[in-house]
Amino acid sequence: MTDADLAAVPRLGVTLTYATKALTAAREKLGGREPKTFEVLQQFVLPLTAERRCSLVEQLWAQFDARIKAADAAKKKLEKKANPVGEASVFVSHSWGSPFASLVGALEDYLKSHQQPAYAVYFWVDCFSINQHAAAVSTLDSAHWSRLFGEAIRSMGAVCLVATPWESPTALGRCWCLFELMSALSGGDGGDGGDGGGASPPPRRMLTNTPGGGAAHGVELTLGMPARERAAFRSAVESPGGLQRIADVYAAVDMQQASASVEADRQMIFGLVSSGVGFDALNAKIRGHLLGKLLSHAAAGGVDEAVASLLDRGASAVVRSHLVHPPLRPGGAQGARSAGLAAKAAGARPAPSVGAAARKPTHAVYPEGDTCADALSHAARAGRTSVATLLLRQPAVRTGVDIADGHGARPLHFACARGDLALVGALLDAGASIAVGDAQGRLPLALLPPSCDAPVAQLLATLDRLPEAVRAEAAKAAA
């Protein structure tokens, strides 16, 4: 066993189902006691891989590959649902000293918020994906691992941080976890701070310890927690005092105060930060992102004071968060005049989906469900006009006023569906486009109730960015 065994690590992960199996097996070996993550390694991973002395995912891969060949030989279909290993798409950031049940619960939370079944996502967890037999005797320094983890985050494009306990996550005080946060927020480059089965197994891509050129931006960061903790977290953020307490914890994150099990790791990470973005800028970036997660909750709840306070503390208003919204029903029967004006501005006909069924007041324009969006979209969807207006004072929010949620809808769609003239006007003033449809092809103004036609036409008549012919027709409609 040499360091060469760790020069490249397979980009393979396991399903939630398999992680749950590991938890159950470790519990049994510990007589029913809840294992820490390092104990799952000791009680489950190392014994299971002792003969081959490889990583757990490599052993599972070999077994799956053998099953694939056997199925092909027998001309049977091997369902993907039965495969515990595959190409990882989510990097899991966690503390080895925390209960492994918290990690499993965080994976469940991730799948629920992303509306994915347990077999559909493969999670890259270091104790499963790295050869722990080789790691135990390795002489590779921490810089090797920092580059490897940065490459993993860059290539996967998604990080699930195990944020437990919810009131003060252990991971936010650990050097490696903050390094992984730094890597996620800089697109995978941790040094500069700068979302069918059976034919064959997925490609066996490898992760190396070499810097990967330009980072792939847009890494999604999700804070995952078990169901009970998620419920307690939501209850807390719905009260001003609870939200304030969580904000205090997020605002106190400080890389220089973080700990590591190995002092050399801590010094290496500190060196990367010092030679790169610097501690103050790094702390501000991490705090701003975490506070931005809270901002979405405050925005959807319509708590103006909390939104203002979070913005004053440096919360990023463009951070995307998963929140569950009730169905959005129209403010009245939807008219055709605004739809026609919108279609002319877009150079197209009104979307066919705006028909008789869509005009019924009881029809849900946007159904109940989890929505991934920034604070402005959450505020608009929830009908929080004053909060949305407050957010629109932020230059970054105005720049991203047309950013769609996970279903292709934009803030202007929500404001129009609600018949919220004040917010429609504020969004148009901020530069929101009337010519971009949602996932069903519906233009925002096509969702307006007839009572809003004339006032909105007045607004359109004054928008210099619209073609003169459209403004003229809007003025005629408003008369």
Side-chain angles (χ1 to χ4, degrees):
M1 193 69 61
T2 68
D3 287 342
D5 295 295
L6 298 170
V9 174
R11 182 183 149 176
L12 294 173
V14 299
T15 59
L16 166 64
T17 302
Y18 194 84
T20 304
K21 176 182 177 180
L23 172 62
T24 301
R27 270 186 190 144
E28 290 175 355
K29 288 194 174 184
L30 293 172
R33 178 171 63 81
E34 287 295 335
K36 307 287 189 182
T37 298
F38 72 85
E39 291 177 312
V40 171
L41 171 67
Q42 295 169 346
Q43 301 295 328
F44 180 76
V45 176
L46 292 177
L48 196 61
T49 56
E51 183 176 349
R52 295 192 61 204
R53 301 189 69 77
C54 62
S55 68
L56 179 61
V57 293
E58 288 176 297
Q59 181 157 305
L60 292 173
W61 179 272
Q63 293 168 353
F64 177 60
D65 194 38
R67 289 167 57 212
I68 283 284
K69 291 174 181 176
D72 286 346
K75 300 190 181 301
K76 294 179 181 177
K77 183 180 179 182
L78 183 62
E79 294 291 340
K80 181 180 178 182
K81 293 181 182 181
N83 179 23
V85 64
E87 185 170 351
S89 58
V90 182
F91 181 99
V92 181
S93 180
H94 64 100
S95 167
W96 280 50
S98 295
F100 192 70
S102 295
L103 187 151
V104 171
L107 304 191
E108 291 176 334
D109 189 41
Y110 181 94
L111 292 172
K112 182 178 180 181
S113 68
H114 289 73
Q115 301 176 46
Q116 295 287 337
Y119 63 83
V121 178
Y122 297 102
F123 296 96
W124 199 92
V125 185
D126 50 8
C127 63
F128 295 155
S129 298
I130 292 174
N131 185 336
Q132 298 298 331
H133 299 280
V137 296
S138 172
T139 60
L140 293 171
D141 60 18
S142 48
H144 166 88
W145 298 110
S146 71
R147 291 192 293 269
L148 183 76
F149 290 167
E151 164 64 13
I153 291 168
R154 177 169 49 245
S155 64
M156 293 175 210
V159 172
C160 177
L161 177 76
V162 181
T164 57
W166 66 266
E167 60 267 58
S168 184
T170 302
L172 297 183
R174 302 293 293 173
C175 278
W176 273 115
C177 293
L178 291 182
F179 169 82
E180 289 153 6
L181 269 180
M182 176 175 72
S183 295
L185 299 183
S186 59
D189 184 354
D192 64 12
D195 212 353
S200 62
R204 190 178 184 213
R205 295 180 57 185
M206 302 298 287
L207 301 169
T208 67
N209 71 333
T210 54
H217 296 286
V219 174
E220 180 195 52
L221 173 62
T222 300
L223 305 184
M225 55 191 78
R228 284 188 181 180
E229 299 235 359
R230 175 61 69 188
F233 175 85
R234 284 178 175 156
S235 178
V237 297
E238 287 172 1
S239 67
L243 189 144
Q244 182 66 40
R245 287 193 299 274
I246 300 172
D248 289 342
V249 171
Y250 289 176
V253 170
D254 187 347
M255 175 67 93
Q256 287 178 290
Q257 300 302 316
S259 61
S261 300
V262 180
E263 178 60 22
D265 291 355
R266 183 171 177 268
Q267 294 302 324
M268 180 278 301
I269 292 172
F270 280 16
L272 284 176
V273 176
S274 296
S275 62
V277 67
F279 287 102
D280 289 344
L282 172 64
N283 288 336
K285 191 165 190 176
I286 292 177
R287 293 168 186 168
H289 193 94
L290 294 173
L291 291 171
K293 296 283 188 183
L294 292 181
L295 185 65
S296 289
H297 287 274
V303 188
D304 296 51
E305 299 81 3
V307 169
S309 174
L310 288 167
L311 290 172
D312 286 343
R313 299 182 79 166
S316 171
V318 296
V319 169
R320 295 169 68 84
S321 299
H322 285 268
L323 295 182
V324 176
H325 287 273
L328 195 165
R329 303 187 186 281
Q334 292 157 355
R337 184 158 36 171
S338 293
L341 289 171
K344 286 204 169 188
R349 296 187 205 173
S353 57
V354 184
R359 294 191 190 105
K360 295 178 182 178
T362 56
H363 173 75
V365 182
Y366 296 105
E368 179 179 10
D370 188 283
T371 300
C372 180
D374 60 15
L376 177 63
S377 278
H378 286 304
R381 166 99 193 224
R384 310 302 187 183
T385 306
S386 60
V387 167
T389 304
L390 176 61
L391 289 168
L392 283 168
R393 297 174 190 168
Q394 304 293 311
V397 174
R398 294 177 72 89
T399 299
V401 71
D402 277 328
I403 294 177
D405 71 0
H407 305 291
R410 293 158 175 79
L412 188 57
H413 283 93
F414 301 138
C416 287
R418 289 185 172 280
D420 187 338
L421 288 174
L423 185 52
V424 169
L427 290 166
L428 290 175
D429 182 65
S433 173
I434 65 172
V436 182
D438 60 12
Q440 298 179 53
R442 298 174 297 191
L443 299 175
L445 301 188
L447 303 179
L448 282 166
S451 60
C452 296
D453 275 345
V456 170
Q458 272 185 314
L459 291 172
L460 296 180
T462 63
L463 283 183
D464 292 337
R465 55 192 167 90
L466 292 182
E468 185 175 346
V470 175
R471 284 188 283 121
E473 184 166 343
K476 182 178 178 181

